[in-house]
Each structure stands twice: as structure tokens, then as C-alpha cells.
Amino acid sequence: YFNGSYNDVYDSISLYGHVVVQDGQLSLNNGSISTLQLAAGTTATAISAPTPGAASFVLNGLRLGSLSGDGNLVFQNDARVYVGSSDQPGAFNGVLSGSGLCQFVKTGNSAFTLGGLSPSYSASTLVDNGVLLINGSLSASPVLVERRSGAVSATLGGTGT
């Protein structure tokens, strides 16, 4: 659990275990987190050029082993977030928002489910490896399935739009 303030602009950081942001600001640029849980009402902002004090949780170029919860993940300023490196199945039922050159990238061999309704998310979604199940709505997002070098497979599925 995190309370307080931490800002990482220049160095890389790795946090292992389950990270829950309760209060304060956690700002990360690159690095990795094993599991990030966004509780309902919590917002994480993926931004490549953060404004100090502008968001409760700022991340860019971050590799998440898993992402869960019902919070909000906001993409700004060409940010990228990589989810699934733990190779464990996961699900995020929160809302994605953002546009432009931002990108949500599904990595790892496991299945990951996006179950939230994110009709205004128009940034791209990339299935790099494993399975991405869209059971919510990403109706404005171009979804690309592109197996990268070393990937076993890349598959898109689900019951959503």
C-alpha cells in the first residue's frame, strides 16, 4: 500500500508484489510493477510528460505484470502501458480513456480481459502476445493483433465491441 509522494522522472524503478495506491501521488516513468490494482474512483494517468501534482497516479512506458480493478486508466501525451508480463490471467473492468499516439499493449502468454465500457478511448490497442478478450467496449479504438518476435501467439477475442 502506498501513502505519500514519490516521483521517478529520470530513473527506472521496479516494484514487486501487489501495489495499491490509497492516497498521495505516485509518478513513474518506465520500470515495472507486478500487479497494479485501481480501486473504483481511483485514476491512473499514463502520460509521457507529466505535470507535477496534476494526477494521483502517473505512469508511462510501464510494464505491468497484471492490472485489475474498476478504476480509470487515462492515457495522455503519447504514453504507452504494457500489461501481462506476469504470464498470469487477469482482468480490468475499469475505464480506459485517451486518444492520439497513446497505446495499450497486451504482452505475455496469458489471457487478459478488458471488461469496462470505454467508448471514448480512441488510442490504439495492440495484442503483442497472448490473448486479449474485450468483453466491454473499445468501439473507438483501433485494435491491432501483431505477434512480435519471440511471442508464442497473439489472439483477439471476447463478447464486447
Side-chain angles (χ1 to χ4, degrees):
Y1 289 90
F2 175 81
N3 286 294
S5 181
Y6 178 80
N7 187 11
D8 171 40
V9 176
Y10 301 105
D11 296 321
S12 187
I13 186 170
S14 295
L15 302 172
Y16 298 95
H18 196 87
V19 176
V20 178
V21 178
Q22 287 184 317
D23 190 21
Q25 179 176 355
L26 177 62
S27 180
L28 301 174
N29 186 32
N30 297 316
S32 62
I33 293 177
S34 297
T35 301
L36 174 64
Q37 178 180 348
L38 296 177
T42 302
T43 299
T45 302
I47 183 170
S48 62
T51 303
S56 59
F57 189 92
V58 178
L59 48 94
N60 177 47
L62 192 66
R63 296 188 180 277
L64 301 174
S66 185
L67 172 66
S68 65
D70 299 311
N72 301 299
L73 181 55
V74 179
F75 290 77
Q76 294 178 352
N77 296 359
D78 306 339
R80 288 187 179 177
V81 174
Y82 303 84
V83 176
S85 62
S86 69
D87 287 331
Q88 299 296 315
F92 180 64
N93 293 313
V95 175
L96 301 178
S97 62
S99 60
L101 298 176
C102 301
Q103 194 170 53
F104 177 92
V105 183
K106 163 57 181 90
T107 64
N109 295 321
S110 63
F112 186 79
T113 302
L114 287 172
L117 300 177
S118 304
S120 66
Y121 174 73
S122 61
S124 67
T125 303
L126 173 65
V127 184
D128 180 41
N129 195 3
V131 177
L132 178 63
L133 300 171
I134 299 175
N135 290 342
S137 174
L138 287 179
S139 57
S141 173
V143 180
L144 310 168
V145 179
E146 184 178 302
R147 188 178 65 141
R148 298 282 170 108
S149 176
V152 176
S153 67
T155 306
L156 176 66
T159 59
T161 58

Coordinates of all heavy atoms in Angstrom, one line a residue, residues 29 45-51 54 58-61 74-80 97-103 123:
N29 N 8.0 6.8 -14.5 CA 8.4 6.9 -15.9 C 9.3 5.7 -16.2 O 10.4 5.7 -15.8 CB 9.0 8.2 -16.2 CG 9.3 8.4 -17.7 OD1 8.5 7.9 -18.5 ND2 10.3 9.1 -18.1
T45 N -3.0 7.9 -14.5 CA -2.8 8.6 -15.7 C -1.5 8.2 -16.4 O -0.4 8.3 -15.8 CB -2.7 10.1 -15.5 OG1 -4.0 10.5 -14.9 CG2 -2.6 10.9 -16.8
A46 N -1.6 7.7 -17.6 CA -0.4 7.3 -18.3 C -0.1 8.5 -19.2 O -0.8 8.9 -20.1 CB -0.7 6.1 -19.2
I47 N 1.1 9.1 -18.9 CA 1.4 10.4 -19.6 C 2.9 10.4 -19.8 O 3.7 10.1 -19.0 CB 0.9 11.6 -18.8 CG1 1.2 12.9 -19.5 CG2 1.5 11.6 -17.4 CD1 0.5 14.1 -18.9
S48 N 3.3 10.8 -21.0 CA 4.7 10.8 -21.3 C 5.4 12.1 -20.8 O 6.6 12.1 -20.6 CB 5.0 10.7 -22.8 OG 4.4 11.7 -23.5
A49 N 4.7 13.2 -20.5 CA 5.3 14.4 -20.0 C 4.4 14.9 -18.9 O 3.5 15.8 -19.1 CB 5.4 15.4 -21.1
P50 N 4.5 14.3 -17.7 CA 3.6 14.7 -16.6 C 3.8 16.1 -16.1 O 4.8 16.7 -16.1 CB 4.0 13.7 -15.5 CG 5.3 13.2 -15.8 CD 5.5 13.3 -17.3
T51 N 2.6 16.7 -15.6 CA 2.6 17.9 -15.0 C 2.7 17.7 -13.5 O 1.8 17.0 -13.0 CB 1.3 18.7 -15.3 OG1 1.3 18.9 -16.8 CG2 1.3 20.1 -14.7
A54 N -0.5 17.0 -11.0 CA -1.7 17.0 -11.9 C -2.5 15.8 -11.7 O -3.7 15.8 -12.1 CB -1.3 17.2 -13.3
V58 N 0.7 8.6 -12.0 CA 1.1 8.9 -13.3 C 2.1 7.8 -13.7 O 3.0 7.4 -13.0 CB 1.8 10.3 -13.3 CG1 2.4 10.6 -14.7 CG2 0.9 11.4 -12.9
L59 N 2.0 7.3 -14.9 CA 2.9 6.3 -15.4 C 3.1 6.4 -16.9 O 2.2 6.8 -17.6 CB 2.4 4.9 -15.0 CG 0.9 4.5 -15.3 CD1 0.8 3.8 -16.6 CD2 0.4 3.7 -14.2
N60 N 4.2 6.0 -17.4 CA 4.5 5.9 -18.8 C 5.5 4.9 -19.1 O 6.5 4.7 -18.4 CB 5.0 7.3 -19.3 CG 5.4 7.2 -20.8 OD1 4.6 6.7 -21.6 ND2 6.5 7.7 -21.1
G61 N 5.3 4.1 -20.2 CA 6.3 3.1 -20.6 C 6.4 2.0 -19.5 O 7.4 1.3 -19.4
V74 N -6.1 6.6 -17.6 CA -6.1 7.7 -18.6 C -4.8 7.8 -19.3 O -3.7 7.9 -18.7 CB -6.4 9.1 -17.8 CG1 -6.5 10.2 -18.8 CG2 -7.7 9.0 -17.0
F75 N -4.8 7.8 -20.6 CA -3.6 7.9 -21.4 C -3.5 9.4 -22.0 O -4.5 9.9 -22.5 CB -3.7 7.0 -22.6 CG -3.6 5.5 -22.3 CD1 -4.7 4.9 -21.7 CD2 -2.4 4.8 -22.5 CE1 -4.6 3.5 -21.4 CE2 -2.3 3.5 -22.2 CZ -3.4 2.8 -21.6
Q76 N -2.3 10.0 -21.9 CA -2.1 11.3 -22.4 C -0.7 11.4 -23.0 O 0.2 10.6 -22.6 CB -2.2 12.3 -21.2 CG -3.6 12.5 -20.6 CD -3.6 13.5 -19.5 OE1 -2.6 14.0 -19.1 NE2 -4.8 13.8 -19.0
N77 N -0.5 12.3 -23.9 CA 0.8 12.7 -24.4 C 1.6 11.5 -24.9 O 2.8 11.3 -24.6 CB 1.6 13.5 -23.4 CG 1.0 14.8 -23.0 OD1 0.0 15.1 -23.6 ND2 1.6 15.5 -22.1
D78 N 1.0 10.7 -25.8 CA 1.7 9.6 -26.4 C 2.3 8.5 -25.5 O 3.2 7.8 -25.7 CB 2.9 10.1 -27.3 CG 2.5 11.1 -28.2 OD1 1.3 11.2 -28.6 OD2 3.4 11.9 -28.7
A79 N 1.6 8.3 -24.3 CA 2.0 7.3 -23.3 C 1.7 5.9 -23.8 O 0.8 5.7 -24.5 CB 1.4 7.6 -22.0
R80 N 2.5 5.0 -23.3 CA 2.3 3.5 -23.6 C 2.3 2.8 -22.2 O 3.1 3.1 -21.4 CB 3.4 2.9 -24.4 CG 3.3 3.4 -25.8 CD 4.3 2.7 -26.7 NE 4.1 3.2 -28.1 CZ 4.8 2.8 -29.1 NH1 5.8 1.9 -28.9 NH2 4.6 3.3 -30.3
S97 N -9.3 5.8 -21.1 CA -9.6 7.0 -21.9 C -8.3 7.5 -22.4 O -7.3 7.4 -21.8 CB -10.4 8.0 -21.0 OG -9.6 8.4 -19.9
G98 N -8.4 8.2 -23.6 CA -7.2 8.7 -24.2 C -7.4 8.7 -25.7 O -8.3 8.1 -26.2
S99 N -6.5 9.4 -26.4 CA -6.5 9.5 -27.8 C -5.1 9.7 -28.3 O -4.1 9.8 -27.6 CB -7.4 10.6 -28.2 OG -6.9 11.9 -27.7
G100 N -5.0 9.9 -29.6 CA -3.7 10.2 -30.2 C -2.8 9.0 -30.3 O -3.2 7.9 -30.6
L101 N -1.5 9.2 -30.1 CA -0.5 8.2 -30.3 C -0.3 7.3 -29.1 O 0.7 6.5 -29.0 CB 0.8 8.8 -30.7 CG 0.8 9.5 -32.1 CD1 2.1 10.2 -32.4 CD2 0.4 8.6 -33.2
C102 N -1.1 7.4 -28.1 CA -1.1 6.6 -26.9 C -1.3 5.1 -27.3 O -1.9 4.8 -28.3 CB -2.1 7.0 -25.8 SG -1.9 8.7 -25.3
Q103 N -0.9 4.2 -26.4 CA -1.1 2.8 -26.7 C -1.2 1.9 -25.5 O -0.4 2.0 -24.6 CB 0.0 2.3 -27.6 CG -0.2 1.0 -28.3 CD 0.8 0.7 -29.4 OE1 2.0 0.7 -29.1 NE2 0.4 0.4 -30.6
A123 N -7.3 5.8 -28.6 CA -5.9 5.5 -28.8 C -5.9 4.0 -29.2 O -6.9 3.3 -29.1 CB -5.1 5.7 -27.5

